[in-house]
Amino acid sequence: MAIFDLDDTLLDGDATGLWTEWLIQLGWITDPERYRAIWAQQMADYAAGRLDMEAHLSHLLSPLAGRTVSEVEAEVGTFLDTELLPRLYREGRERIAWHRDQGHQVVIISASTAQLVAPLAERLALDAALATRLEVKDGCYTGRAQGIRTFRDGKLAAQPPHLGLFGFTQ
């Protein structure tokens, strides 16, 4: 089995940061300066090893609260095609292909959230994706996360689905 991280590993950049800018362009974030300031402080806290992941997720997911899964999925698809896929390192794609050629199962794990990571893994024909799942009620995102946060030690606690089946955790 080969396990890949996403941000600054397979991807030139941070998927969540790029998604944030996408949401600003869409107008889903109504106060971009304030949102970016909170984001910048949280990234400084992350670098210093003191990020409050729950506060971070609350901030990060607030633009999705009340939006339908289908509305978000449509934007994610366009975002992946125009912003993320072109930023994947060639060497990372080659390494994934090498592992597939060796018959290895390939998994991506990321602290970025599942609405981004799972469809990216599908586009890359990976065997599984592990990412922080988002809570959905009545077909809409609540703005909250659920389950294991695939951040730091949470990456160790996350379990891939049975890899004999093609499954993604969202």
Side-chain angles (χ1 to χ4, degrees), residues 4-166:
F4 288 88
D5 183 45
L6 177 59
D7 300 319
D8 298 313
T9 304
L10 286 177
L11 178 69
D12 179 13
D14 179 89
T16 303
L18 295 166
W19 175 243
T20 294
E21 292 304 316
W22 185 267
L23 295 180
I24 289 169
Q25 291 174 14
L26 281 177
W28 290 10
I29 294 173
T30 56
D31 188 347
E33 285 71 32
R34 182 174 184 279
Y35 194 94
R36 284 183 182 120
I38 293 169
W39 172 267
Q41 181 58 57
Q42 290 175 338
M43 292 302 94
D45 290 346
Y46 170 77
R50 61 177 183 263
L51 177 64
D52 177 339
M53 189 57 165
E54 295 311 309
H56 176 64
L57 285 169
S58 178
H59 176 67
L60 175 69
L61 300 177
S62 63
L64 302 185
R67 297 196 184 275
T68 66
V69 170
S70 60
E71 177 184 21
V72 173
E73 283 176 348
E75 285 304 324
V76 166
T78 305
F79 168 73
L80 291 176
D81 292 339
T82 60
E83 297 294 325
L84 278 198
L85 289 172
R87 295 179 70 113
L88 293 176
Y89 289 117
R90 177 186 48 81
E91 298 87 351
R93 285 180 175 245
E94 289 171 356
R95 196 67 182 162
I96 288 170
W98 182 86
H99 281 289
R100 274 202 223 104
D101 289 346
Q102 301 304 306
H104 302 157
Q105 293 174 324
V106 183
V107 176
I108 191 169
I109 187 166
S110 178
S112 292
T113 48
Q115 92 284 359
L116 299 175
V117 178
L120 176 63
E122 288 180 38
R123 280 179 166 75
L124 296 174
L126 304 184
D127 295 294
L130 296 171
T132 300
R133 294 181 299 138
L134 307 187
E135 184 180 75
V136 174
K137 293 217 188 235
D138 300 321
C140 294
Y141 287 108
T142 65
R144 293 185 297 269
Q146 66 179 27
I148 294 172
R149 279 51 168 163
T150 51
F151 169 73
R152 295 203 172 142
D153 291 347
K155 286 184 177 181
L156 299 174
Q159 297 288 319
H162 176 65
L163 291 177
L165 302 173
F166 192 73

